[in-house]
């Protein structure tokens, strides 16, 4: 009887996506559906045949998701994944409209987040309230409270999903506006200067979810039963901070128990460059002499500003004890899977010579350079890589841009729920195709040693690739049950023209309240106050019309109006 090989380990990485978080959530929704179906069928085979795998009618190997990292919209999706992990999740396959669904992914990303909510003025209702963001972030607070409430008030039996590690590592990237100081020691004439100071702003919050969290030294432990409500609140607040697009959405206050979390943090240090990954990990203590003792509080915004694809966080967790993972399809033991709605949404564009163009381009240049990872370029020289995979939007049509959420710099999905529903279903469809055709390894990989010859020779499981020496490949996550039924391509959505007038009114109301709030708070001189009011009343209509024209133009270019 053939023993099983060790489980294939997976790290999920969810990139920043703004409103296309609906796409990432659709991917995760189908991934969980596929794994639930497979493991339920495996349980039945176990009851029928025990460990006599030669009799099994479906693949018998195991996979385990060990870590999840997310930034921006990916951070919110990671938080919802953690909160949903021990609950039943009903996959969304049809458009339910406003009917309730038993699915936190769809509920949050399609049914609740909408431009009509962002243009409300709940955040400015108190005349003494600070102006925090162009958009009203109250709906995000409400979604966060719902997530926490569902965890700490869950009275049903916790659902066990053996394909998630216990504990599951969850990382959420944030931009730490306070920063963490470090010092490079040097010798110099001034004894009062210890060296060259640097400040780290690309930060992350690290959580461990499960019943065995005591084995994790440098993570915030989350209990599945929600008994530690304050830690779940911190997790949700971290997700909201990760998605706080600068200026558009409200920044968030976060707090660490102490700076020890930074002292224990491990940093990747390359030791050589090869076709395999050779790194060591070491701690680097910050210069805490300039930081108050005790808890460490900081204001945080969008993690995607500095790290939009946090691959290394999960890779470092998969690479236990600095073991090297082969990237060959015959030997790979683990892999990262990046879910990226906009993998190629960058361009090297020379700006105009006027000052506004230069300043705007400088803003994007700073973000792009902070995200630049030369070590990833080095690892990418070999295209025959089976230790890292990508799920990105594909729509089999003549459309150049597959996502309905892609307009307005990825804020377009907030305009209408049909846009977000389209992207959600497309995410499910793309994940299905990815698992069936691309998330595969060579049939000779030890992962499949316990498969019977009958299973290996069944065309249902075999995947053939052009220009490959391998005879055929086999799926890491096979599709069984409801996951086998092909998901239809969703219809391309269009924005109802009759809603443009209502949208314009909402923008006008929100902009008027913002102006009045700022004018009342910042201007004390009576004459200047009234002069600004007159100018605003004169120019507001023109500004709103230009915003509407911009929205219409974006929708028309994408065939959505």
């Amino acid at each position: 009887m053939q023993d099983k090989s060790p489980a294939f380990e997976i790290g999920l990485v969810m990139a920043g996506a703004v409103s296309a978080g609906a796409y990432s959530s659709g991917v995760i929704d189908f991934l969980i559906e596929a794994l639930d179906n497979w493991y339920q069928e495996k349980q039945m085979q176990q009851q029928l045949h025990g460990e006599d795998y030669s009799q099994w009618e479906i693949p018998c190997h195991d996979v385990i998701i060990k870590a999840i990292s997310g930034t921006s919209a990916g951070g919110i999706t990671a938080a919802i994944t953690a909160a949903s992990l021990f609950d039943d999740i009903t996959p969304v396959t049809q458009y339910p409209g406003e009917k309730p669904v038993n699915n936190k992914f769809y509920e949050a990303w399609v049914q609740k987040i909408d431009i009509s909510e962002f243009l409300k003025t709940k955040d400015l209702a108190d005349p003494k309230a600070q102006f925090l963001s162009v958009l009203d972030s109250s709906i995000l607070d409400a979604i966060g409270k719902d997530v926490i409430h569902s965890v700490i008030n869950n009275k049903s039996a916790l659902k066990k999903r053996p394909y998630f590690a216990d504990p599951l590592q969850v990382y959420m990237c944030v931009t730490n506006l306070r920063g963490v100081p470090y010092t490079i020691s040097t010798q110099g004439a001034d004894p009062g200067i210890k060296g060259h100071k640097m400040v780290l702003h690309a930060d992350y919050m690290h959580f461990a979810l499960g019943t065995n969290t005591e084995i994790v030294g440098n993570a915030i432990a989350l209990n599945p039963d929600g008994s530690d409500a304050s830690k779940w609140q911190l997790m949700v607040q971290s997700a909201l901070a990760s998605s706080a697009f600068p200026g558009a959405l409200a920044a968030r206050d976060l707090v660490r128990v102490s700076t020890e979390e930074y002292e224990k943090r491990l940093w990747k240090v390359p030791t050589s460059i090869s076709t395999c990954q050779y790194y060591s990990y070491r701690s680097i203590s910050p210069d805490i002499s300039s930081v108050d003792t005790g808890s460490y509080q900081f204001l945080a915004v969008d993690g995607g500003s500095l790290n939009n694809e946090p691959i290394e966080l999960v890779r470092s967790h998969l690479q236990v004890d600095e073991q090297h993972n082969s990237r060959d399809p015959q030997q790979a033991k683990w892999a990262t899977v990046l879910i990226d709605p906009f993998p190629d949404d960058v361009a090297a564009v020379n700006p105009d010579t006027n000052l506004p163009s230069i300043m705007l381009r400088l803003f994007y240049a700073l973000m792009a350079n902070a995200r630049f990872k030369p070590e990833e370029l080095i690892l990418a020289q070999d295209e025959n890589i089976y230790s890292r995979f990508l799920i990105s939007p594909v729509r089999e049509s003549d459309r150049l841009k597959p996502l309905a959420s892609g307009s307005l710099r990825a804020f377009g999905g907030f305009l209408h729920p049909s846009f977000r529903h389209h992207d959600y279903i497309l995410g499910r469809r793309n994940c299905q195709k990815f698992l069936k055709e691309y998330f595969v390894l060579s049939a000779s990989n030890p992962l499949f040693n316990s498969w019977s010859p009958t299973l290996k020779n069944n065309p249902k499981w075999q995947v053939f690739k052009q220009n490959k020496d391998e005879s055929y490949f086999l799926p890491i996550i096979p599709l069984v049950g409801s996951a086998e039924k092909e998901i239809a391509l969703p219809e391309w959505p269009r924005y109802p023209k009759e809603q443009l007038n209502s949208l314009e009114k909402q923008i006008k109301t929100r902009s008027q309240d913002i102006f009045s709030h700022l004018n009342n708070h910042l201007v004390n001189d009576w004459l200047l106050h009234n002069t600004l009011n007159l100018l605003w009343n004169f120019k507001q209509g023109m500004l709103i019309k230009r915003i509407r024209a911009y929205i219409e133009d974006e929708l028309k270019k994408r065939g959505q109006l």
Side-chain angles (χ1 to χ4, degrees), residues 452-471:
S452 67
T454 302
L455 276 179
K456 283 189 176 184
N457 293 322
N458 188 336
K460 175 181 179 179
W461 307 116
Q462 294 176 340
V463 176
F464 293 89
K465 291 179 173 288
Q466 294 182 346
N467 303 321
K468 299 294 181 184
D469 295 333
E470 308 296 322
S471 56

Side-chain angles (χ1 to χ4, degrees), residues 65-66 68 78-86 151 158 164-171 206-214 216 219-226 228 232 235:
I65 299 173
K66 294 191 68 176
I68 299 176
I80 297 173
T81 303
S84 303
L85 206 56
F86 297 88
V151 174
L158 297 178
F164 276 103
D166 184 3
L168 173 69
Q169 310 292 315
V170 181
Y171 301 89
H206 180 194
F207 300 88
L209 170 61
T211 58
N212 297 315
T213 54
E214 67 277 359
V216 183
I220 301 163
L222 295 175
N223 196 315
D225 64 11
D228 46 357
W232 278 98
M235 190 271 288

Side-chain angles (χ1 to χ4, degrees), residues 112-155:
K112 289 187 174 181
I113 294 181
D114 192 79
I115 192 64
S116 61
E117 295 290 338
F118 284 135
L119 293 177
K120 288 182 177 179
T121 56
K122 294 178 182 178
D123 58 332
L124 302 176
D126 183 354
K128 296 180 181 180
Q130 287 185 306
F131 173 62
L132 301 176
S133 55
V134 172
L135 300 176
D136 184 351
S137 300
S138 301
I139 182 59
L140 298 177
D141 295 318
I143 292 172
K145 288 179 181 177
D146 285 346
V147 168
I148 296 170
H149 184 272
S150 67
V151 174
I152 64 178
N153 292 285
N154 184 12
K155 303 303 181 184

Side-chain angles (χ1 to χ4, degrees), residues 268-405:
K268 184 184 72 172
V269 179
T271 56
S272 67
I273 298 174
S274 177
T275 55
C276 292
Q277 301 165 6
Y278 290 101
Y279 297 102
S280 61
Y281 290 84
R282 55 168 293 187
S283 59
I284 305 174
S285 296
D287 183 2
I288 59 174
S289 62
S290 57
V291 178
D292 297 333
T293 57
S295 62
Y296 178 76
Q297 187 171 352
F298 59 97
L299 194 66
V301 295
D302 184 12
S305 300
L306 300 179
N307 187 1
N308 205 48
E309 295 90 14
I311 299 171
E312 183 53 38
L313 291 175
V314 299
R315 181 190 288 146
S316 63
H317 184 67
L318 293 172
Q319 191 170 327
V320 179
D321 298 327
E322 300 179 19
Q323 294 178 1
H324 308 307
N325 179 47
S326 172
R327 293 183 284 158
D328 189 286
Q330 296 178 339
Q331 299 296 328
K333 299 176 182 178
W334 54 258
T336 59
V337 178
L338 170 62
I339 305 168
D340 191 351
F342 303 108
D344 59 353
D345 193 27
V346 294
V349 179
N350 207 28
D352 294 332
T353 54
N354 61 76
L355 184 58
S357 294
I358 293 173
M359 297 307 295
L360 182 62
R361 190 61 187 171
L362 178 61
F363 172 73
Y364 287 113
L366 292 172
M367 285 201 306
N369 199 67
R371 297 171 176 178
F372 187 76
K373 301 179 180 71
E375 66 275 15
E376 295 294 337
L377 292 178
I378 293 171
L379 292 174
Q381 297 303 307
D382 180 6
E383 294 182 359
N384 191 35
I385 296 174
Y386 284 79
S387 63
R388 114 176 134 240
F389 294 83
L390 169 69
I391 304 178
S392 60
V394 177
R395 182 182 166 89
E396 299 87 342
S397 70
D398 57 354
R399 298 189 182 281
L400 295 177
K401 302 293 184 180
L403 289 183
S405 300

Side-chain angles (χ1 to χ4, degrees), residues 41-52:
E41 290 289 333
K42 283 173 61 175
Q43 188 175 23
M44 293 176 61
Q45 293 290 309
Q46 181 77 34
Q47 293 171 353
L48 290 171
H49 307 295
E51 295 182 2
D52 184 2

